[in-house]
Amino acid sequence: MIFEDLPTTPRSEELIDKAFSRASRSGRAKQGREAQESMVQTASNILSDNLENVVTAWPDFDEIDPFYRELAEAIVETHEYDTDADGVDALRQSLSEVTWASRQTKQIGDEAMGKMRKASDDLARKHRKQAFARMADVVEQVAPNLRLIGDARDALKTLPDIDPDEPTIVVAGYPNVGKSSFVNTVTRARHETAEYPFTTRGIGVGHFHGTDVPSELREGKRSAADDHVRYQIVDTPGLLDRPPEERNDIESQAVSALEHLADCVLVVVDASMDCGYPIDVQLELRDALKAQFDDVPVLTICNKIDRSRDVEADHYMSVTEDENVEGVLAAAVDAVGYEPELPFEQ
């Protein structure tokens, strides 16, 4: 995952303390003007290098997969900062400000070193103190930017491992219709659940392989390469479990990210209505999702058929009774239509 290696972002106070304490130690081994020069050089290098490292660790948002960009947009918008930009633009603005601070602290150090070369010991000490004050002022100016970058890093780093290049099935539908039970069954409960700042429950991401889908349930010809394909299946509580008009702006942004990720959407409905939602309301959500995910197949899956199957659906199953669960999974894989390239293919 592209954000997992982002280093911890230092706060301004930590960075200043680190730079000046190391500078003080470096000056102890020398005397007079040389001690002052060593302190300025050390502080300038530490501040400039650490600030630069904050920026260079981040990927270029113009080049990353749209899924990750939209996800970052949603996550950064969950934090409120005093900036004239929102989302990723606010993050980019902060990264730009930190780049400026990195260059400024280096320039201040270079200027002070130039003044100190022929200065007396007392004058060198004065130049060093002035340089320290200016460098500290620069770092304090970007304190809000470092905080924004750090908060974004902490949120993005903990996202579940989602690969936008893997074929992905997104599972949607109202609460209690059996979405999580289906995902648990087809992934044999081997999946990761992580909290997103814009959902009320953790999003679940599971995986299964082509070999988990019986050949006799698949449509058309199946190649040997199909068995080695890994599929992602995403359970989306708190996002795709209610109508679009009930989502806030941040949740809508997160759904936009899922639009880039999904290769197929399964909308699970409960015709028995034991879930607590009328079937016509469930189908209205299905229709809204079809309109939103108009570039990928959207299949209606009727679950709990041991209680009722009184609804028109693409496929019927009962997770609790283990009835046609594999058939639904096979239908989803067929709808994705992923064709792996063999190494010898041109």
Side-chain angles (χ1 to χ4, degrees):
M1 206 265 287
I2 63 172
F3 299 117
E4 65 183 352
D5 294 326
L6 290 174
T8 301
T9 305
R11 295 300 193 252
S12 58
E13 301 86 355
E14 299 170 8
L15 196 49
I16 292 171
D17 288 346
K18 174 182 177 181
F20 291 170
S21 62
R22 289 194 184 178
S24 178
R25 288 199 298 271
S26 73
R28 292 173 192 161
K30 298 177 177 148
Q31 300 293 325
R33 176 174 53 82
E34 288 187 359
Q36 305 304 314
E37 289 177 341
S38 177
M39 292 169 70
V40 167
Q41 189 69 69
T42 299
S44 175
N45 287 345
I46 289 175
L47 291 174
S48 180
D49 290 349
N50 277 266
L51 290 168
E52 182 181 14
N53 290 339
V54 167
V55 177
T56 57
W58 283 83
D60 185 340
F61 283 98
D62 289 332
E63 296 182 0
I64 66 174
D65 190 275
F67 166 71
Y68 281 124
R69 181 188 166 89
E70 296 276 4
L71 207 56
E73 190 86 46
I75 285 176
V76 177
E77 284 186 7
T78 63
H79 298 84
E80 294 185 4
Y81 299 98
D82 185 17
T83 65
D84 56 5
D86 297 315
V88 166
D89 286 340
L91 178 55
R92 294 170 99 166
Q93 186 181 84
S94 287
L95 291 168
S96 177
E97 291 294 322
V98 172
T99 297
W100 166 83
S102 172
R103 292 170 181 168
Q104 281 295 108
T105 51
K106 184 178 187 307
Q107 182 178 332
I108 291 169
D110 291 344
E111 290 175 354
M113 292 291 290
K115 293 176 182 178
M116 295 164 67
R117 285 195 182 99
K118 297 181 179 180
S120 65
D121 291 353
D122 287 342
L123 186 56
R125 185 177 296 106
K126 178 181 177 181
H127 288 319
R128 189 265 302 168
K129 289 182 178 179
Q130 290 175 340
F132 273 22
R134 292 178 62 197
M135 285 189 277
D137 182 61
V138 167
V139 177
E140 287 168 358
Q141 285 185 56
V142 296
N145 305 107
L146 289 170
R147 189 170 65 253
L148 187 153
I149 294 167
D151 289 346
R153 174 262 182 197
D154 293 344
L156 292 167
K157 188 178 176 68
T158 58
L159 296 180
D161 185 13
I162 297 178
D163 186 348
D165 294 327
E166 286 187 348
T168 303
I169 300 163
V170 171
V171 183
Y174 272 97
N176 305 315
V177 296
K179 302 187 302 296
S180 297
S181 298
F182 173 71
V183 173
N184 287 341
T185 299
V186 300
T187 62
R188 293 174 175 82
R190 294 194 304 267
H191 66 277
E192 176 184 2
T193 299
E195 297 295 331
Y196 280 68
F198 40 73
T199 62
T200 55
R201 292 169 54 199
I203 284 183
V205 181
H207 300 88
F208 64 91
H209 291 81
T211 51
D212 297 324
V213 184
S215 299
E216 63 272 15
L217 298 178
R218 294 284 306 278
E219 294 181 355
K221 185 178 179 180
R222 175 177 174 179
S223 70
D226 288 339
D227 291 342
H228 302 286
V229 177
R230 191 174 86 149
Y231 292 85
Q232 291 177 137
I233 185 163
V234 181
D235 186 14
T236 58
L239 286 179
L240 300 181
D241 60 358
R242 60 191 186 282
E245 61 270 16
E246 294 183 14
R247 301 179 200 132
N248 61 36
D249 291 343
I250 295 170
E251 291 166 341
S252 296
Q253 187 75 51
V255 173
S256 294
L258 291 174
E259 289 180 46
H260 294 290
L261 183 69
D263 295 299
C264 170
V265 178
L266 301 182
V267 182
V268 182
V269 299
D270 172 12
S272 73
M273 296 180 282
D274 287 346
C275 63
Y277 298 91
I279 191 61
D280 58 331
V281 171
Q282 296 181 56
L283 294 178
E284 286 175 5
L285 174 60
R286 186 272 315 272
D287 293 341
L289 293 172
K290 276 189 173 182
Q292 186 153 20
F293 290 82
D294 59 343
D295 291 332
V296 300
V298 177
L299 304 181
T300 305
I301 310 299
C302 176
N303 187 31
K304 305 182 185 178
I305 58 173
D306 51 310
R307 303 179 187 179
S308 174
R309 55 189 303 150
D310 189 19
V311 65
E312 186 175 343
D314 296 299
H315 300 277
Y316 298 82
M317 71 176 181
S318 172
V319 176
T320 58
E321 299 299 317
D322 194 23
E323 185 173 351
N324 198 39
V325 174
E326 288 185 337
V328 169
L329 189 64
V333 169
D334 286 331
V336 168
Y338 183 74
E339 297 181 2
E341 291 186 7
L342 296 175
F344 53 80
E345 291 181 336
Q346 300 294 323

